[in-house]
């Protein structure tokens, strides 16, 4: 009998949420996503040392100042990992722009261009790379300009409808709403042990975004992310994509039973949903009114920046850059 994972694949594109090449070999996903936290973990493993060494040599040749070399080392390492991942998957890899640039439109555009240049230098078509940006107002503006250049974007740290609307209107390729982090916030706030899958606040948030997009014909794809359990994943069967950690992929692969479609674009088109006109003032006000989204976006940016800075310090110090 086919596992629930195999049945889910028929409804949704499965993406593996890891920088670990061995996990990608095991689960044969279409796409893969990485972030500084995942790369930081992966960089401790022996099989990544050659990729780190190559990045070290590259930055010493190309970087003019100590700061240039240090920044280039990180970028080159992220790209090296991405290139290795692309050897194993048919689709795309997501590579993240420095979270410290989350409120810097021009800085985000410049960093994205430099990452794509590194990929293209290694013979990778830009169509196979998604640039990850935080779903701030500035991140959406940066993505809008990058998409015009054929640089496709994945807007991450997505916790609310206004963020999703801003990204759709910027015509970004993909968004990543974070199910598990929404769940974490409400679980702590409401002092409960958990929720039935259909009532899970993270699941409900992604469902709202999905229905809004399909109702109004937006082309931006929705990739549910940051899952805490298989119930959340299965409740979003039918979502465009789902990015899932290896441990949860293993659980799904060992589960049997039906996997019914939960999200349906045809049903969404018939729903009575009011369209929201999104400008900067509306975006900031709606986001501010949502305590969970405001807190989780800020926390996510801080933590991604912290992981990147920690990795940067460790690699640059060890290489005396």
């Amino acid at each position: 009998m086919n596992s629930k994972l195999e049945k889910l694949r028929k409804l949704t594109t499965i993406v593996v949420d890891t920088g670990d090449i061995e996990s990608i070999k095991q689960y044969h996903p279409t796409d893969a996503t990485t972030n500084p936290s995942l790369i930081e973990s992966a960089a401790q493993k022996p099989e990544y040392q050659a990729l780190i060494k190559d990045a070290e040599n590259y930055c010493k040749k190309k970087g003019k100042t100590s700061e240039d070399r240090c920044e280039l080392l990180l970028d080159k390492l992220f790209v090296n990992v991405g290139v290795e991942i692309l050897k194993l998957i048919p689709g795309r890899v997501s590579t993240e722009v420095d979270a410290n640039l989350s409120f810097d439109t021009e800085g985000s555009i410049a960093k994205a261009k430099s990452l794509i240049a590194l990929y293209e230098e290694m013979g990778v078509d830009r169509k196979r790379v998604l640039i990850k940006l935080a779903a701030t107002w500035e991140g959406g503006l940066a993505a809008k300009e990058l998409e015009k250049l054929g640089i496709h974007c994945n807007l991450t740290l997505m916790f609310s409808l206004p963020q999703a609307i801003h990204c759709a209107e910027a015509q970004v390729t993909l968004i990543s709403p974070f199910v598990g982090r929404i769940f974490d916030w409400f679980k702590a706030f409401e002092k409960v042990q958990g929720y039935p899958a259909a009532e899970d606040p993270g699941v409900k948030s992604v469902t709202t975004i999905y229905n809004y997009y399909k109702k109004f014909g937006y082309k931006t794809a929705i990739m549910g992310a940051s899952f805490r359990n298989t119930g959340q994943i299965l409740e979003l069967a039918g979502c465009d994509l789902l990015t899932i950690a290896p441990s949860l992929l293993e659980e799904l692969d060992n589960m049997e039973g039906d996997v019914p479609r939960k999200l349906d674009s045809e049903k969404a088109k018939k729903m009575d949903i009011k369209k929201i006109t999104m400008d900067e003032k509306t975006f900031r006000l709606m986001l501010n009114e949502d305590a969970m989204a405001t807190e989780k976006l800020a926390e996510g940016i801080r933590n991604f920046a912290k992981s990147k800075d920690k990795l940067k310090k460790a690699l640059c110090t060890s290489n005396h850059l």
Side-chain angles (χ1 to χ4, degrees), residues 82-289:
V83 170
E84 290 303 307
I85 289 170
L86 286 171
K87 292 175 184 176
L88 304 172
I89 61 174
R92 303 166 298 190
V93 68
S94 290
T95 297
E96 190 149 325
V97 162
D98 185 351
N100 290 304
L101 298 171
S102 295
F103 303 103
D104 181 349
T105 302
E106 293 305 318
S108 293
I109 292 170
K111 177 61 75 175
K113 286 179 177 178
S114 68
L115 289 168
I116 289 295
L118 287 171
Y119 271 108
E120 291 182 335
E121 199 175 273
M122 295 184 76
V124 174
D125 191 314
R126 64 178 60 188
K127 292 176 183 174
R128 297 199 68 201
V129 181
L130 288 171
I131 293 295
K132 280 177 83 173
L133 298 156
T136 56
W137 181 258
E138 295 80 4
L141 295 181
K144 185 175 183 177
E145 294 308 309
L146 290 166
E147 292 282 355
K148 291 175 184 176
L149 299 171
I151 297 174
H152 300 305
C153 298
N154 170 1
L155 273 286
T156 188
L157 296 176
M158 172 80 58
F159 302 101
S160 66
L161 186 58
Q163 290 175 285
I165 296 171
H166 177 43
C167 293
E169 293 184 348
Q171 299 182 319
V172 307
T173 298
L174 185 81
I175 61 166
S176 299
F178 277 27
V179 177
R181 297 193 195 189
I182 296 173
F183 166 85
D184 294 344
W185 191 93
F186 278 99
K187 184 179 168 186
F189 183 75
E190 296 181 349
K191 296 181 173 60
V192 296
Q193 291 301 307
Y195 302 89
E199 295 170 26
D200 185 297
V203 169
K204 289 166 74 174
S205 177
V206 176
T207 301
T208 296
I209 292 168
Y210 179 92
N211 290 335
Y212 189 95
Y213 272 26
K214 304 311 176 188
K215 170 72 177 179
F216 296 111
Y218 290 115
K219 302 299 184 191
T220 298
I222 302 156
M223 180 171 71
S226 166
F227 293 103
R228 298 294 178 258
N229 56 65
T230 56
Q232 293 171 335
I233 295 167
L234 295 170
E235 198 62 33
L236 292 173
C239 193
D240 300 325
L241 307 94
L242 297 172
T243 182
I244 304 169
S247 59
L248 291 173
L249 286 172
E250 184 176 1
E251 280 188 49
L252 288 166
D253 205 26
N254 290 318
M255 294 168 71
E256 295 183 353
D258 292 334
V259 178
R261 178 181 289 277
K262 297 291 186 173
L263 301 185
D264 189 318
S265 59
E266 292 306 311
K267 288 180 181 176
K269 289 173 187 175
K270 298 170 186 172
M271 292 179 179
D272 182 18
I273 301 172
K274 183 182 177 184
K275 189 158 191 180
I276 299 168
T277 302
M278 190 56 59
D279 56 18
E280 183 176 357
K281 287 182 288 187
T282 305
F283 174 91
R284 295 197 187 281
L285 185 60
M286 287 183 70
L287 189 61
N288 187 67
E289 288 298 304

